[in-house]
């Protein structure tokens, strides 16, 4: 029996608008990714892809459900998750005044 590299169960993220109804960025998302597989998260603009990735990389807390990366819960064990992942984002994240090693 192998453990999933990523396990997402009923993941939810809502934002509360001042004086308005909540905006549901992610609603009830569930999936798992087995070790050694290539996985793509596809969907139209506003589907919650970036929000899901921010939750999986511990940059954002979910409002419901659960997510585990490498067997560690992204809410209860964020440092353990971060020790095991690397993320390359679309926007430039390099600090121009640091060398390559320090940026990594």
């Amino acid at each position: 029996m192998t453990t999933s590299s990523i396990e997402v169960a009923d993941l939810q993220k809502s934002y509360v608008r001042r004086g308005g109804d909540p905006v549901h960025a992610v609603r009830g998302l569930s999936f798992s990714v087995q070790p050694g597989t290539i996985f793509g998260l596809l969907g139209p603009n506003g589907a919650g892809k970036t929000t899901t990735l921010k939750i999986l990389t511990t940059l954002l807390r979910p409002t419901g459900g659960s997510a585990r990366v490498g067997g560690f819960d992204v809410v209860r064990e964020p440092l353990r998750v971060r020790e095991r992942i690397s993320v390359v984002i679309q926007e430039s994240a390099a600090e121009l005044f640091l060398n390559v090693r320090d940026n990594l």
Side-chain angles (χ1 to χ4, degrees), residues 2 4 12 18 20-21 35 51 56 62 65 68 73 89 95 99:
T2 61
S4 298
Q12 300 172 40
R18 262 185 244 167
D21 294 330
T51 301
L56 291 175
R68 297 178 71 78
D73 187 278
I89 58 175
E95 175 58 57
N99 63 35

Side-chain angles (χ1 to χ4, degrees), residues 48-84:
K49 302 177 299 291
T50 299
T51 301
T52 299
L53 289 175
K54 285 183 178 182
I55 292 169
L56 291 175
T57 57
T58 74
L59 298 175
L60 192 60
R61 291 177 66 99
T63 53
S66 65
R68 297 178 71 78
V69 176
F72 298 99
D73 187 278
V74 298
V75 173
R76 291 189 305 249
E77 304 167 286
L79 295 178
R80 300 295 299 259
V81 171
R82 288 183 179 193
E83 290 173 346
R84 286 159 177 77

Side-chain angles (χ1 to χ4, degrees), residues 6-12 26-32 39 65-66:
I6 301 172
E7 298 174 45
V8 174
D10 194 30
L11 193 65
Q12 300 172 40
V26 178
R27 193 185 305 195
L29 180 63
S30 297
F31 65 90
S32 64
F39 178 81
S66 65

